[in-house]
Amino acid sequence: MDERHSRIQQYPWLAPVLLAGAAGLELLTPEIVNGAALVAVAGMVAAITSTFRNTLLIVTIGLAIIVVAAVLSGFTDFEKGVQIAEVLIAGALALAVRRMLDRQSVSFSLVRSTVEILQRAVLPPLPTIVGPMVVACRYEAASTEARIGGDLYAVEETPFGLRLLIADVRGRGLGAVSSVSVIVGAFRERAQSERDLAGLAERLDRAVARSLAQYADPFAAEAADAAEAFATALLVEIDRPGTTMRVLSCGHPAPYLVRDGELCQLDTGEATPPLGMLDLAPGTGGPRSCDFPTGTTLLCVTDGVTEARNAAGTFYDPCQELRPAPDGDPERLIDALFASVSRWVEGERDDDMAVVAVSSVDVDGRESAP
């Protein structure tokens, strides 16, 4: 069921009001005026706003109104018989529509469940504690589609410190799933051995290129999209003491630092091209170092957050809209962010959102106080 249907379902009172109007027309106005049309509309409204049982109830009450009106008029008017037939036909159509919507809802739920299982298989939950850091993550598909998206994240504890990847593969469907699995696998393997983020980005770039090879068949359904595939990515390395981090943006939105309830977006400098396009501008950009003060939380997002629009078409700005931001608890921070974005777009999004938040913990495993 799409978002427009969900909005219509917010008005379950509409069908009873239409029935009341039909009863008023039949009982309080001259015979030349009738409520058969309102009864027919009430049945169809009930079909798209309520359950099959409620739709049947509305149709039955509506038919009873028309029959009672016909009896009170002596049933001498041929037109009354026609109205009863029309109401019966409209009621049958309303019940058929409700049954069809119920079947579509079951099918949609099955597809959504399958997609969620596939998403969890490709992006399993991250551990809560990784080295000296507490980690929280969340992925949420766009509300308007059931197709799996291309947002991804991964975190690894390495000899160089904690390394984090968040990325967004262009496109959706099986092509995106393939690229997501390849990039995550390459990151988990190479994050342990590559000495710097630039070298790690090059490895991931090659992984994206390899993932496109499976679409070499020009007759493949997604071959055209594969030719233009790429992935924006953000690589973060937090040193083992947890005081300094290095950030490399491959065309991805910059991360945020959260401290004392305030968000500020980091300056990641000149970005390198997205993964899959590094050879288009070799030597562009590079990692940038910055402090990671105790009690600070790092917030990394995909463009499903930064490009969320409200009714006026204005982009969402976490620094302005997420105030105050929860301190010290990455899970609460993500909860607050998703709730804020949902309010901004009034529940309607056209892009997936992936978010990772990281903050330091003390030696006993408790979150550091600000």
Side-chain angles (χ1 to χ4, degrees):
M1 312 299 284
D2 62 19
E3 289 300 317
R4 288 173 295 180
H5 182 225
S6 297
R7 287 199 300 270
I8 293 174
Q9 287 182 316
Q10 297 174 5
Y11 304 100
W13 47 265
L14 185 54
V17 169
L18 291 171
L19 283 186
L25 289 177
E26 289 289 348
L27 302 176
L28 303 177
T29 62
E31 290 188 8
I32 194 173
V33 180
N34 67 81
L38 285 182
V39 169
V41 173
M44 196 59 66
V45 168
I48 59 178
T49 61
S50 190
T51 64
F52 182 86
R53 180 178 297 180
N54 289 342
T55 302
L56 179 60
L57 178 62
I58 291 294
V59 169
T60 303
I61 294 175
L63 179 61
I65 291 173
I66 300 301
V67 171
V68 168
V71 170
L72 292 178
S73 66
F75 218 112
T76 57
D77 190 351
F78 173 76
E79 190 173 329
K80 286 296 183 182
V82 173
Q83 290 173 12
I84 292 175
E86 291 174 345
V87 169
L88 280 171
I89 295 172
L93 286 175
L95 292 173
V97 168
R98 181 64 256 173
R99 185 64 72 191
M100 179 186 67
L101 291 176
D102 286 341
R103 290 173 179 170
Q104 288 182 345
S105 179
V106 171
S107 299
F108 184 86
S109 297
L110 180 60
V111 171
R112 173 72 74 175
S113 177
T114 303
V115 167
E116 290 175 350
I117 292 171
L118 179 58
Q119 188 75 44
R120 286 195 295 269
V122 176
L123 291 179
L126 299 179
T128 303
I129 302 294
V130 181
M133 301 291 161
V134 59
V135 178
C137 63
R138 189 172 305 172
Y139 172 89
E140 188 173 289
S143 56
T144 55
E145 295 187 30
R147 295 184 65 191
I148 189 170
D151 290 11
L152 64 99
Y153 46 72
V155 173
E156 287 288 316
E157 185 179 9
T158 74
F160 315 102
L162 180 141
R163 283 182 168 175
L164 179 154
L165 165 70
I166 186 168
D168 185 358
V169 177
R170 178 185 179 273
R172 295 189 176 196
L174 295 180
V177 174
S178 173
S179 295
V180 166
S181 61
V182 169
I183 293 173
V184 171
F187 174 79
R188 288 173 175 165
E189 176 186 1
R190 294 298 179 178
Q192 300 290 335
S193 57
E194 289 295 333
R195 300 191 62 85
D196 59 66
L197 294 184
L200 181 56
E202 291 177 2
R203 292 289 187 175
L204 298 181
D205 180 75
R206 295 174 194 170
V208 173
R210 286 198 305 271
S211 73
L212 302 183
Q214 60 189 302
Y215 299 111
D217 179 3
F219 300 103
E222 299 182 4
D225 287 342
E228 301 176 357
F230 60 88
T232 66
L234 181 73
L235 290 166
V236 179
E237 177 185 285
I238 303 175
D239 64 4
R240 299 191 70 83
T243 58
T244 304
M245 64 180 175
R246 291 166 59 79
V247 181
L248 174 62
S249 172
C250 299
H252 197 82
Y256 301 85
L257 285 181
V258 185
R259 185 175 175 83
D260 297 331
E262 296 290 332
L263 273 79
C264 65
Q265 191 167 30
L266 288 178
D267 180 7
T268 57
E270 183 181 12
T272 66
L275 302 179
M277 296 183 171
L278 291 186
D279 59 343
L280 298 180
T284 303
R288 172 165 288 200
S289 298
C290 61
D291 293 334
F292 188 53
T294 301
T296 301
T297 300
L298 176 70
L299 178 65
C300 304
V301 304
T302 58
D303 61 9
V305 174
T306 56
E307 294 184 3
R309 298 173 184 256
N310 62 10
T314 305
F315 288 119
Y316 177 80
D317 182 359
C319 295
Q320 297 296 323
E321 302 302 324
L322 193 59
R323 290 183 174 181
D327 284 304
D329 186 341
E331 193 66 43
R332 286 182 55 234
L333 175 62
I334 292 178
D335 286 342
L337 176 65
F338 272 72
S340 179
V341 172
S342 181
R343 288 192 300 270
W344 182 259
V345 300
E346 298 180 351
E348 299 179 37
R349 292 185 293 104
D350 56 8
D351 199 1
D352 305 334
M353 294 197 307
V355 178
V356 179
V358 179
S359 63
S360 58
V361 297
D362 64 21
V363 293
D364 296 322
R366 293 168 299 185
E367 294 169 23
S368 298

